[in-house]
Amino acid sequence: MESLNSADAPAAMSPYEALLGAAISVPISHYVCGFLLIIIVYLYRFLEIHVLQDLLSGFRGQPVTLTFNPSSEVYHDVISKCSILHGRYLSTPWLCSPHLQTLFIHYLGNPPLVNYRRQLFITSDGGTVALDWVKNPEVKKPVFQENDEVRQDNKNPIIIIIPGLTSDSDSAYVKHLAFKMAKHGWNVVVTNHRGLGGVSITSDCFYSAGWTEDVRKIIDHIHCKFPEAPLFVVGTSIGANILIKYLGEDGVSVPISGAAAICSPWDPLICDRFMNRRLVQRFYNKALAIGLKDYANVDRLDLDMEFYRHEAVLSRLSNWEGVKKSRSVRDFDDCATRVLGNFETVDTYYRRCASANFVGSVAVPLLCINSLDDPVCTSEAIPWDECRLNSNIVLATTQHGGHLPYFEGLAAKSVWWVRAVEEFFSVLQSSPLSHRKKEMPDSSSNNPFQSSIDHAPYVHILEDGIVTAVGNEVDLGVQGLENADQNKTQDMFSIEGKQTPGLDQTPHLDVEHVGPVKKSLNQISRQNRKSLWLLGYIAIITTWPLVGSALKIFFKKKFQNRLSLSSFRR
């Protein structure tokens, strides 16, 4: 009877069948809502949207972080009076993502209408650089006029704008800055890189992230033309890297009163690693490569063959087939920039042109602005300590902002860093710092690829890593060596491409230097006496088990040998 009942009872449902039945009973609309929720969360993380963070902060924005030397006169006399840099930055609500902001500035940007007068500047090697002077920021229709003499008030302050990679005077963020400064009475000129701004390449020399010669010649030209006008310079992106490198190379000899570097890459090698890290960064990498290929006029048939075509020059001097196949900035630099600059590898080019190596030698008031969520120039490359050590530099960092946009307001017609730069230059112009005689920072070095130990007259580190002792000649520096008597030696060596009378390569140490060396060693030993005792204690504790075991074996064997010898004598 029991077996019959068990046979008639329905078979037990498996857990998987029950789960499947429950899943089928859920309405399809719930699945659609769940899928959309997953997509929203993914896009929120992928696009780095920060609307919830802005909501939690009451849409007051994030405070601006300032990094500076405590004894910096630039901060105490200028930055401390800038309310914008001591405030907060809140991005446009519907652009609450660094990627949305960066795409918006490059494809739309709400640029104001600016009218330029063009001046063609011919370099010593035959290259052509277009200098676009802002004629009237209120003119509704932009007009380019070539070879038009620019008449400026020779006592009015002049601001020089250095655009970024493949950017020119027609870029949206350049127009925002040019319009703002010109509207406040500044004379504004945009220096377009070679081959950009509608000007053909007329020499075998091209611009790069470390090419400072054009900027140097243009600044000298404007300074000679308007000797009584204060000069201020703004560099953006790659232009900021070029500007900082130029300021570090020339030190106190630069004829400018102040500068601002916006979204500088600082170290292209670190940025190159960053650009290959995530999917969204690889997208930017490919987009920048397309812009570089557009600069090279690869597969462009809609341009004037005689005036705009760069292929005739690039194909002769670079690996043109590699340029056409470039899929990243590194590919383009390997096939074109590295070859044109005569660098052994791409990494060598990136290291040599990194502006972070020249921060310590900047001798003019410099405001640096960087966004921590910059999708192109990573914050990992920012030289925090070097900026803090140099009393002429103030570094302003924000949590958000993207790469150059910094849009604010509901209509996204205002750019935050443009307002900050305008206020900084206005305060700096009325400050005695813009008229004082510039002094080289104590931590500066004429050769950024040597460590700070090179400043001492005791040792010298060569580029190949060989350490030699030298005499007082090292204190002369690059400028002192150039003025030294060349008849004393026939050896020559190159420092950053300049031929300079060489030093005596024979290692020697003057007797008069022994005293300072001993004094320095005594100071180090007094300052680190506790650390030395602690290291000695740690060394004894960590090595005692091994030493104790060895001593135990040694004495045991020696004791056994003595016992055997005494028994043998008996």
Side-chain angles (χ1 to χ4, degrees):
M1 189 67 182
E2 293 179 357
S3 61
L4 181 60
N5 293 336
S6 61
D8 294 339
M13 183 178 296
S14 67
Y16 297 103
E17 293 177 349
L19 182 61
L20 180 60
I24 295 175
S25 63
V26 175
I28 189 65
S29 60
H30 293 190
Y31 285 107
V32 174
C33 292
F35 179 75
L36 291 177
L37 180 61
I38 294 174
I39 294 296
I40 291 174
V41 172
Y42 175 78
L43 290 178
Y44 189 91
R45 295 294 300 270
F46 182 78
L47 297 177
E48 302 178 52
I49 300 175
H50 47 80
V51 63
L52 293 180
Q53 184 180 2
D54 295 340
L55 180 62
L56 294 176
S57 65
F59 289 99
R60 295 186 300 116
Q62 302 298 321
V64 181
T65 302
L66 298 177
T67 302
F68 56 91
N69 192 300
S71 61
S72 172
E73 296 183 13
V74 176
Y75 174 79
H76 294 293
D77 295 347
V78 181
I79 299 296
S80 61
K81 301 177 183 179
C82 298
S83 59
I84 297 176
L85 293 173
H86 284 85
R88 293 170 172 265
Y89 167 67
L90 175 64
S91 62
T92 300
W94 49 277
L95 292 175
C96 52
S97 165
H99 309 293
L100 296 178
Q101 288 226 33
T102 304
L103 293 176
F104 186 80
I105 190 67
H106 286 91
Y107 291 100
L108 296 175
N110 287 336
L113 297 175
V114 181
N115 186 37
Y116 294 105
R117 288 177 181 263
R118 171 153 294 183
Q119 175 187 1
L120 296 181
F121 179 80
I122 308 300
T123 62
S124 58
D125 63 303
T128 304
V129 178
L131 302 180
D132 291 333
W133 295 83
V134 176
K135 177 183 177 182
N136 186 355
E138 302 295 341
V139 174
K140 295 183 178 181
K141 185 177 181 180
V143 178
F144 289 92
Q145 298 181 8
E146 295 189 12
N147 297 325
D148 193 1
E149 181 65 24
V150 180
R151 294 187 175 90
Q152 305 273 347
D153 183 358
N154 59 1
K155 293 184 180 180
N156 256 12
I158 300 175
I159 179 171
I160 304 171
I161 303 175
I162 308 175
L165 185 69
T166 69
S167 298
D168 53 23
S169 58
D170 196 43
S171 300
Y173 64 88
V174 174
K175 287 186 175 181
H176 276 284
L177 178 61
F179 182 88
K180 181 78 171 180
M181 302 305 295
K183 192 174 182 180
H184 284 75
W186 294 67
N187 292 325
V188 183
V189 57
V190 182
T191 168
N192 299 277
H193 299 294
R194 298 189 182 203
L196 293 172
V199 177
S200 61
I201 297 176
T202 57
S203 70
D204 292 349
C205 187
F206 298 81
Y207 84 97
S208 66
W211 179 252
T212 59
E213 192 62 25
D214 286 348
V215 172
R216 181 178 294 105
K217 296 299 183 183
I218 290 171
I219 292 177
D220 291 341
H221 164 73
I222 296 176
H223 177 63
C224 292
K225 190 174 182 180
F226 309 101
E228 298 183 9
L231 297 183
F232 299 86
V233 187
V234 178
T236 58
S237 190
I238 289 296
N241 188 85
I242 296 174
L243 171 61
I244 298 172
K245 187 172 181 287
Y246 157 71
L247 295 177
E249 288 176 344
D250 288 19
V252 296
S253 62
V254 294
I256 65 176
S257 301
I262 313 300
C263 295
S264 173
W266 296 105
D267 193 330
L269 183 60
I270 297 179
C271 293
D272 175 64
R273 304 292 191 268
F274 174 74
M275 293 293 284
N276 294 286
R277 185 175 302 171
R278 298 174 54 197
L279 177 61
V280 64
Q281 266 71 46
R282 288 194 289 270
F283 170 79
Y284 283 105
N285 203 352
K286 189 172 183 179
L288 290 173
I290 293 175
L292 288 171
K293 292 169 65 176
D294 187 29
Y295 163 76
N297 300 142
V298 175
D299 300 329
R300 293 293 301 273
L301 301 178
D302 57 329
L303 300 179
D304 186 355
M305 295 293 292
E306 295 182 358
F307 190 74
Y308 291 99
R309 198 72 168 175
H310 302 162
E311 179 179 352
V313 180
L314 283 172
S315 60
R316 176 171 52 86
L317 300 175
S318 64
N319 180 6
W320 184 247
E321 292 299 324
V323 169
K324 292 192 294 184
K325 297 178 181 179
S326 298
R327 295 294 181 267
S328 65
V329 176
R330 186 182 182 87
D331 292 342
F332 184 90
D333 289 337
D334 186 32
C335 298
T337 311
R338 177 192 64 83
V339 179
L340 296 171
N342 196 24
F343 294 100
E344 295 85 357
T345 63
V346 180
D347 286 355
T348 303
Y349 158 64
Y350 288 157
R351 290 189 180 97
R352 290 291 179 179
C353 69
S355 61
N357 299 322
F358 299 84
V359 171
S361 301
V362 175
V364 299
L366 173 63
L367 172 65
C368 303
I369 298 178
N370 277 88
S371 171
L372 299 182
D373 65 353
D374 193 320
V376 178
C377 301
T378 175
S379 59
E380 300 172 6
I382 298 177
W384 303 91
D385 293 338
E386 289 82 350
C387 292
R388 188 180 293 109
L389 287 176
N390 193 332
S391 58
N392 296 309
I393 298 178
V394 174
L395 172 65
T397 54
T398 59
Q399 291 292 329
H400 308 298
H403 186 66
L404 295 173
Y406 279 94
F407 284 111
E408 56 184 358
L410 293 177
K413 292 184 178 180
S414 176
V415 178
W416 176 84
W417 68 262
V418 171
R419 295 195 301 115
V421 168
E422 192 275 331
E423 184 183 39
F424 170 69
F425 283 162
S426 298
V427 178
L428 179 60
Q429 183 189 4
S430 59
S431 171
L433 290 178
S434 61
H435 306 289
R436 73 173 183 178
K437 183 179 179 180
K438 296 180 283 294
E439 297 179 356
M440 181 68 72
D442 294 336
S443 60
S444 64
S445 174
N446 288 324
N447 191 351
F449 302 102
Q450 296 177 354
S451 63
S452 59
I453 199 173
D454 296 342
H455 301 287
Y458 318 121
V459 295
H460 177 56
I461 302 179
L462 302 179
E463 290 188 356
D464 56 0
I466 299 177
V467 181
T468 60
V470 296
N472 290 333
E473 304 94 294
V474 178
D475 293 336
L476 293 175
V478 175
Q479 294 179 353
L481 288 174
E482 290 177 348
N483 297 327
D485 185 5
Q486 298 187 9
N487 296 328
K488 294 181 180 180
T489 177
Q490 299 297 328
D491 297 332
M492 303 289 289
F493 67 96
S494 175
I495 297 181
E496 288 300 305
K498 296 182 179 180
Q499 293 297 326
T500 311
L503 298 176
D504 185 7
Q505 299 295 329
T506 305
H508 64 279
L509 180 64
D510 292 345
V511 178
E512 60 183 2
H513 295 151
V514 176
V517 171
K518 289 184 177 180
K519 183 178 179 181
S520 301
L521 292 177
N522 292 333
Q523 291 178 355
I524 294 174
S525 63
R526 285 197 300 269
Q527 294 174 359
N528 299 279
R529 188 167 297 170
K530 294 182 179 180
S531 301
L532 292 175
W533 280 110
L534 180 60
L535 290 175
Y537 174 75
I538 294 174
I540 294 174
I541 293 300
T542 54
T543 59
W544 178 249
L546 180 62
V547 175
S549 301
L551 291 175
K552 183 178 179 181
I553 296 174
F554 174 77
F555 285 111
K556 184 177 180 180
K557 184 179 295 185
K558 189 173 183 181
F559 183 72
Q560 290 177 353
N561 292 336
R562 288 187 177 181
L563 289 177
S564 60
L565 182 60
S566 61
S567 61
F568 176 77
R569 289 178 178 178
R570 291 178 183 178

